[in-house]
Amino acid sequence: MNRIPLRFHLNDAEIGEFIDSGTTLLSLLRDKLGLTATKSGCNQGSCGACTVLINGAPQLSCLVLAARCEGKSVATLEGVSDNGTLHPLQRAFMDGFAAQCGFCTPGMIIAAKALLDRNPDPDRGEVIDAISGNICRCTGYEPIIDAILAAAAEMRGGKRKSA
Ligand code: FES
Ligand code: FES
């Protein structure tokens, strides 16, 4: 495999690395950079556990070659909290028991953040749609959907969606 240089923005840092050209973004994050919040589940694009944001859009990092991130902005769960202060989504997941084993949680929160960043006032169907690629074996999904709606309401200042 070729060794190639890679520069990209990761959470609040600029990253410069030499990587094998076939390295996936998931492998780079977990195995080389030590950012293990992003989970490796199926490693074939089926479970959503590896979801990260690339230029603000949710992507399955197990299917993305790291080399494709040259010059882009990547966000993982490590970058969601603010200097140790949990993001409203993280608090809502805790308060609403939306995480049990927690394996799906990083991908769920990233997928939910992508939704709330573009639509701060989603309805239940829009939340379900946004996490439709993320599999959870534990919760039955309802606490996750409720947590995302609760976080959205908190981020809007407690206002509930009208009708
Ligand atoms: S680990 Fe990437 S979709 Fe399952
Ligand atoms: S909390 Fe266990 S897979 Fe979702």
Short mmCIF file of all heavy atoms in Angstrom, two decimals, residues 98-105 108 135-139 144, ligand 2:
data_model
loop_
_atom_site.label_atom_id
_atom_site.label_comp_id
_atom_site.label_asym_id
_atom_site.label_seq_id
_atom_site.Cartn_x
_atom_site.Cartn_y
_atom_site.Cartn_z
N ALA A 98 -31.48 6.61 27.50
CA ALA A 98 -31.44 6.27 26.08
C ALA A 98 -30.19 5.50 25.70
O ALA A 98 -30.01 5.14 24.54
CB ALA A 98 -31.53 7.55 25.25
N ALA A 99 -29.32 5.26 26.66
CA ALA A 99 -28.15 4.41 26.44
C ALA A 99 -28.18 3.27 27.45
O ALA A 99 -28.33 3.51 28.65
CB ALA A 99 -26.86 5.21 26.60
N GLN A 100 -28.08 2.04 26.96
CA GLN A 100 -27.99 0.89 27.87
C GLN A 100 -26.58 0.33 27.79
O GLN A 100 -25.73 0.69 28.59
CB GLN A 100 -29.09 -0.12 27.56
CG GLN A 100 -30.47 0.42 27.95
CD GLN A 100 -31.59 -0.57 27.75
OE1 GLN A 100 -31.41 -1.79 27.72
NE2 GLN A 100 -32.80 -0.04 27.60
N CYS A 101 -26.28 -0.52 26.81
CA CYS A 101 -24.88 -0.94 26.68
C CYS A 101 -24.02 0.22 26.18
O CYS A 101 -22.82 0.28 26.43
CB CYS A 101 -24.74 -2.14 25.76
SG CYS A 101 -24.80 -1.74 24.00
N GLY A 102 -24.63 1.16 25.45
CA GLY A 102 -23.93 2.35 24.99
C GLY A 102 -23.17 2.19 23.69
O GLY A 102 -22.59 3.17 23.21
N PHE A 103 -23.18 1.02 23.10
CA PHE A 103 -22.36 0.81 21.91
C PHE A 103 -22.85 1.64 20.73
O PHE A 103 -22.06 2.16 19.95
CB PHE A 103 -22.31 -0.68 21.53
CG PHE A 103 -21.18 -1.01 20.62
CD1 PHE A 103 -19.91 -1.24 21.11
CD2 PHE A 103 -21.37 -1.06 19.25
CE1 PHE A 103 -18.84 -1.51 20.26
CE2 PHE A 103 -20.32 -1.35 18.39
CZ PHE A 103 -19.06 -1.57 18.90
N CYS A 104 -24.15 1.80 20.62
CA CYS A 104 -24.70 2.58 19.50
C CYS A 104 -24.69 4.07 19.76
O CYS A 104 -24.92 4.87 18.86
CB CYS A 104 -26.13 2.14 19.22
SG CYS A 104 -27.32 2.67 20.51
N THR A 105 -24.47 4.45 21.03
CA THR A 105 -24.73 5.83 21.46
C THR A 105 -23.89 6.88 20.73
O THR A 105 -24.44 7.91 20.31
CB THR A 105 -24.54 5.94 22.99
OG1 THR A 105 -25.32 4.93 23.63
CG2 THR A 105 -24.97 7.31 23.49
N MET A 108 -25.44 7.34 17.37
CA MET A 108 -26.77 7.95 17.50
C MET A 108 -26.66 9.44 17.76
O MET A 108 -27.39 10.26 17.17
CB MET A 108 -27.52 7.29 18.67
CG MET A 108 -28.02 5.90 18.41
SD MET A 108 -29.45 5.92 17.31
CE MET A 108 -29.88 4.15 17.39
N ILE A 135 -28.39 1.19 14.23
CA ILE A 135 -29.03 0.06 14.89
C ILE A 135 -28.75 0.09 16.39
O ILE A 135 -27.62 0.32 16.82
CB ILE A 135 -28.53 -1.27 14.29
CG1 ILE A 135 -29.02 -1.40 12.86
CG2 ILE A 135 -28.97 -2.46 15.13
CD1 ILE A 135 -28.44 -2.60 12.11
N CYS A 136 -29.83 -0.11 17.18
CA CYS A 136 -29.68 -0.28 18.63
C CYS A 136 -30.29 -1.61 19.02
O CYS A 136 -31.45 -1.89 18.70
CB CYS A 136 -30.37 0.86 19.38
SG CYS A 136 -30.30 0.65 21.17
N ARG A 137 -29.52 -2.43 19.73
CA ARG A 137 -30.00 -3.75 20.14
C ARG A 137 -30.68 -3.72 21.50
O ARG A 137 -31.23 -4.73 21.94
CB ARG A 137 -28.81 -4.73 20.25
CG ARG A 137 -28.11 -5.00 18.94
CD ARG A 137 -28.92 -5.90 18.07
NE ARG A 137 -28.16 -6.35 16.91
CZ ARG A 137 -28.72 -6.85 15.83
NH1 ARG A 137 -30.02 -6.94 15.73
NH2 ARG A 137 -27.98 -7.25 14.82
N CYS A 138 -30.61 -2.58 22.20
CA CYS A 138 -30.99 -2.60 23.61
C CYS A 138 -32.28 -1.85 23.93
O CYS A 138 -33.08 -2.32 24.73
CB CYS A 138 -29.90 -1.97 24.47
SG CYS A 138 -28.28 -2.71 24.28
N THR A 139 -32.47 -0.66 23.36
CA THR A 139 -33.44 0.27 23.94
C THR A 139 -34.84 0.19 23.35
O THR A 139 -35.77 0.75 23.92
CB THR A 139 -32.96 1.72 23.74
OG1 THR A 139 -32.94 2.00 22.33
CG2 THR A 139 -31.57 1.93 24.33
N ILE A 144 -34.48 6.76 22.83
CA ILE A 144 -33.54 7.53 22.01
C ILE A 144 -34.28 8.65 21.28
O ILE A 144 -33.84 9.81 21.28
CB ILE A 144 -32.82 6.60 21.01
CG1 ILE A 144 -31.88 5.64 21.76
CG2 ILE A 144 -32.05 7.41 19.96
CD1 ILE A 144 -31.24 4.57 20.88
S1 FES B 2 -27.75 0.94 23.88
FE1 FES B 2 -26.95 -1.03 23.37
S2 FES B 2 -26.96 -1.05 21.20
FE2 FES B 2 -27.99 0.79 21.71
#
